[in-house]
Amino acid sequence: MSTIPLDYETLRLIWWLLLGVLLIGFAIMGGRDLGVGTLLPFAARTDAERRVLLNVVGPTWEGNQVWLIVGGGVIFAAFPPLYAVSFSGFYLAMIVILLALILRPVGFKYRSKIKDDRWRATWDTVLFIGGFVPSLIFGVAVGNVLLGAPFHVDGTMRAFYTGNFFMLLTPFALLCGLVSLGMIGTQGAAVIAGRTTGPLAERARTYGSLAGIVTILLFALAGVWIAFGIDGYAITSTVDGNAAINPLGKSVELTRGGWLANYGLYPWMIAGPVLGFAGLAGAVIGLQARLRLASLLASSVAITGIVATAGLSLFPFLLPSSTVPEASLTLWDASSSHLTLFIMLLVTVFFLPIILLYTAFVFRVMRGTVSTQSLEKNPNAY
Amino acid sequence: MIDMTVVELSRWQFAATAMYHFIFVPLTIGLSVMMAIMESVYVMTGRDVWRKATLFWGTLFGVNFAMGVATGVVMEFQFGMNWSYYSHYVGDVFGAPLAIEGLMAFFLEASFIGLFFFGWDRLSKVGHLAVTWLVALGANFSALWILIANGWMQNPVGSKFNPDTMRMEVTDFVAVLFNPVAQAKFVHTVSAGYVCGAVFIFAISCLFLVRGKHVELAKRSMVVAASFGLASALSVVVLGDESGYIATEHQKMKIAAMEASYHTEPAPAPWTIFAIPGPDGGAPSFSIQVPWVGGLITTRSLNEELPGIDELVEHAQTRIRSGMVAYDALQDIRADGSNAEARAAFDEHWADLGYGLLLKRYREDVGNATDAEIAQAAADTVPGVWPLFWTFRIMMGLGFFFIGFFALWFYRASRGWLETNKPLLWFSVFLLPLPWIAIESGWFIAEFGRQPWVVEGVLPTFYAASGLSFWDLVISLSFFVTLYSVLLVIMIMLMVKIIKAGPQDKLFAEDEGDDADFVVAALPATPANKELGS
């Protein structure tokens, strides 16, 4: 398509970046709600306090979750082979995530509609699971992407996955899960500390600082593990970024610590882990110093850095194959067509700023602290 | 080889997810618009009963919306999870409208829904009204993009198979957008959602009236629902007819199956009101027909023929043979990309490649299929005739019934006869489930009628499934069905509770202190903590 003003290679790179933006967007925005859900049984002690926590994120969590839904849609539209392989390959893990994503909207909406201790306690557990489980599993998934998934494709591009659910729970993947859980927990604590007062905010500061420090240690441990404990993948044949997709047309080599190679090739990429560590430290300091906005910003920077670290280390891989490394999916051989990528880019360039604008508006309208006093007036409060 | 048990279970799972999802979506679409209408009246007249009505129906909307979101996420993920080869094969075309739906519509709806519930005292009247309209707009845009995606599966325009990447790719995005099937489906489906919302509000209002509760709110809601419902019911039928007409152009087999017309009738074809299947479940052994009407509905003419199932099966055989040529040419291209002869053959026959793939059910090497296998594959192109025949009549009957129902009430409302006839009110209460029966029938016709294709003429359903195991499917299917059923029961229970409690008015009025265990205090007009960006 000669009429498309951007070449295929550039578009593929842009879409890889945009996918990163959407996933980071979900981790920051959705991380608020998942984090608050995870902290629900710890930070809140009474029914009134739990209601406050739910209403801190109540008016905005639905919009936040759309980042995930659009992230899924964008993988489908921009990297269909990745969508096909990962969603079917991680089938039972997806079912577990869906469990949380099905129960969470219902839990938010239904919990406070009936005044009964057992009813509410049940939904509180549901909301905790709905925050805790996805926070952990998303990290486990990233860990498994770094390890490579057991899949291959045949000549018709049909994918075959040869692993099972329990193979996903390796020590390294679980470590990544804990990093994700810790980073989202820190985010949730920063949100609670910023939007509540009194003992609730105090507890959030304690848990958030603890989560931040633990995450720094776990993130560092994951770095050491990547350097000395697992293999990274590298393409050894020449890559034509403008060619039609063909996941079988390359050769791939595994080397111990190979995921660190990009930091030698492109030194600026070190910004990813640096932002991760600095953000976490900043969040801890901010929480302790009671700087409400600063701790939330720092925690969001930490999320940006940590998610970017995973993406940058993998570049240009999207999903390596552990059984047939040549079949690994990269952004060069698992993308949509030139035309589709271009049309989707036009749509995104138009809508993403509008989305950011009205999201900011909604957050501005709903700003301020939430207290037990403000809830009873609104029959639709959670 | 493809495991047909896994395919069947995947189909059941998708059908269950889609049909559950569509219990909630039409009500969301219909209620959102009616709430926006009611709130507009509130802003224009300043009469508090309209605000109360908006809030009351809004509470029910919220409970329903939560389930819509919960089931919608699963819908999206299912494509990749259970229909992995579908995702690869058509993702380049199908993924885009799905992603645009998220960017353009769902983000809008989900972001402002929070403000709808929490923003009453933080926004001006007009500001809140704008939020409500944006929620309604988001819900309707959502339907538009999903139906553009679905319309492409019914009539795959604007795209071509690329032998180098082994998938369908977009050639003309504008054609995908303005696909006539998608446009007809959109207006038909959205109108059906409006009817659903109108019947819902109407039935509950009638319940209030027979019980003598919330009379003012109920009567006003009924006036809106009757007029909105009448307009929508008319548009469902008129646009449904349009949808049928377009399907005759693109999905002749679906129409023939809906009409159980096995043999081509001389034009103009009659329309069958009632029929009894023959002893083998095939051509009807007895039927009651209205002359001419079938031809008028389907072809809008008196001289065009409507082909019957038997003739279409014969035609499918021709296309399967052409598809075999395309398949062989594709193998040659895959083996040697520079084979110009194979490319020329493929270009000539590619449109029938999907028909060739129908043979994959019987043998790997499609090009060597026997005559018997070709006949078998052609016979496979007939969807289940009798389920389609009856669901279509149920849907259509209900469509006309809704017109009559709302016309009657529209007339009564204009005369001020809203509460005078108790039996009629009770009758209207019990009509509540009808729109769902019509709507689920409609989707059944659209999707079951498309079988054996997941994308009409392009990709057979069985060939699109993921390589999952039997137990994967057993676990997930029982998980979804159990969870959804439990949640549906809980939702209905909650709705009953909300309806019993009636409209609340805690928002601006003083609290009555009924069951409050919190101290009630006014919210600060300007939120105290301005430093907060969150």
Side-chain angles (χ1 to χ4, degrees), chain A residues 99-119:
Chain A
L99 168 78
L101 294 178
I102 292 170
L103 287 175
R104 221 161 58 101
V106 186
F108 268 114
K109 212 61 182 180
Y110 294 0
R111 182 216 179 262
S112 299
K113 288 270 191 297
I114 291 180
K115 229 176 147 46
D116 173 83
D117 289 343
R118 269 182 44 212
W119 169 268

Side-chain angles (χ1 to χ4, degrees), chain B residues 22-31 34 140 143 147 184-200 228-240 395 398-399 402 406 432 434-443:
Chain B
F22 217 67
I23 293 176
F24 314 106
V25 173
L27 187 60
T28 304
I29 294 174
L31 280 183
M34 292 185 64
N140 283 275
L147 290 166
K185 275 179 95 70
F186 167 64
V187 278
H188 181 58
T189 310
V190 164
S191 307
Y194 296 164
V195 171
C196 180
V199 172
F200 181 81
F228 187 66
L230 178 60
S232 313
L234 281 167
S235 107
V236 171
V237 171
V238 173
L239 299 165
M395 179 188 77
L398 286 171
F402 289 131
F406 281 121
L432 185 60
L434 292 190
W436 280 276
I437 295 174
I439 279 166
E440 298 282 352
S441 303
W443 273 112

Side-chain angles (χ1 to χ4, degrees), chain A residues 55 59 62 69 72-73 83-84 91 110 155-156 158 194-195 292 335-337 340 355 358 365 367 377-378, chain B residues 13 63 76 80 82 84-85 92 103 107-108 113-114 117-118 122 167 334 463 465 476 491 494 506 529 532 534:
Chain A
N55 283 284
E62 272 156 329
I69 292 164
Y83 186 77
Y91 191 73
Y110 294 0
T156 66
R158 188 181 282 277
R195 297 285 307 275
R292 296 172 164 216
S335 78
S336 276
S337 65
T340 296
I355 291 165
Y358 62 62
V365 172
R367 72 196 184 279
K377 284 207 341 138
N378 185 348
Chain B
Q13 182 164 313
V63 170
E76 181 192 345
N82 292 79
S84 154
Y85 199 52
D92 194 73
L103 284 166
F107 247 125
L108 187 71
I113 204 159
F117 289 119
F118 289 84
R122 294 183 178 227
R167 67 179 177 193
R334 298 294 293 175
Y463 201 55
S476 58
M491 187 197 83
L494 258 183
K506 289 183 183 169
N529 224 326
L532 284 178
S534 60

Side-chain angles (χ1 to χ4, degrees), chain B residues 129-418:
Chain B
L129 177 64
V131 164
T132 311
W133 274 111
L134 285 172
V135 170
L137 196 68
N140 283 275
F141 273 142
S142 239
L144 174 65
W145 287 102
I146 293 303
L147 290 166
I148 286 176
N150 182 273
W152 184 81
M153 294 165 78
Q154 315 281 347
N155 178 31
V157 290
S159 51
K160 193 175 183 239
F161 188 87
N162 180 345
D164 299 316
T165 56
M166 281 302 292
R167 67 179 177 193
M168 295 294 288
E169 292 182 354
V170 173
T171 50
D172 180 356
F173 193 67
V174 177
V176 176
L177 285 188
F178 294 101
N179 184 351
V181 174
Q183 300 301 324
K185 275 179 95 70
F186 167 64
V187 278
H188 181 58
T189 310
V190 164
S191 307
Y194 296 164
V195 171
C196 180
V199 172
F200 181 81
I201 288 187
F202 207 88
I204 295 168
S205 302
C206 286
L207 183 68
F208 284 162
L209 282 193
V210 284
R211 294 255 188 249
K213 284 155 80 179
H214 323 297
V215 173
E216 187 71 357
L217 183 142
K219 280 163 75 177
R220 283 165 198 274
S221 299
M222 278 166 78
V223 172
V224 175
S227 32
F228 187 66
L230 178 60
S232 313
L234 281 167
S235 107
V236 171
V237 171
V238 173
L239 299 165
D241 168 59
E242 179 67 22
S243 173
Y245 170 64
I246 289 169
T248 36
E249 249 178 88
H250 304 286
Q251 292 177 303
K252 293 194 165 66
M253 183 61 93
K254 187 192 270 184
I255 294 286
M258 277 156 64
E259 293 303 324
S261 99
Y262 278 83
H263 312 292
T264 307
E265 305 272 355
W271 191 69
T272 310
I273 301 175
F274 177 85
I276 296 172
D280 54 346
S285 57
F286 169 79
S287 60
I288 304 172
Q289 296 182 321
V290 193
W292 289 20
V293 174
L296 282 175
I297 294 177
T298 50
T299 63
R300 302 253 166 94
S301 77
L302 292 173
N303 49 24
E304 261 179 79
E305 275 191 349
L306 192 65
I309 292 171
D310 294 344
E311 192 193 317
L312 290 169
V313 169
E314 240 170 77
H315 181 62
Q317 285 215 21
T318 321
R319 293 197 69 178
I320 290 171
R321 287 181 198 280
S322 160
M324 290 160 67
V325 178
Y327 185 85
D328 282 342
L330 178 62
Q331 301 310 306
D332 295 342
I333 296 172
R334 298 294 293 175
D336 170 18
S338 59
N339 187 337
E341 199 184 321
R343 280 192 189 264
F346 187 77
D347 278 344
E348 197 187 333
H349 291 276
W350 78 270
D352 292 322
L353 177 64
Y355 279 85
L357 293 178
L358 285 172
L359 288 165
K360 278 278 183 186
R361 195 163 160 185
Y362 304 106
R363 58 163 61 232
E364 262 312 309
D365 49 340
V366 165
N368 296 326
T370 62
D371 285 350
E373 284 164 339
I374 293 170
Q376 185 84 51
D380 288 347
T381 58
V382 184
V385 171
W386 291 100
L388 288 169
F389 179 85
W390 288 116
T391 42
F392 178 59
R393 272 145 193 80
I394 291 171
M395 179 188 77
M396 224 174 86
L398 286 171
F400 281 108
F401 171 78
F402 289 131
I403 295 180
F405 174 77
F406 281 121
L408 170 70
W409 274 109
F410 185 71
Y411 174 72
R412 293 180 67 87
S414 64
R415 286 300 182 92
W417 299 343
L418 283 171

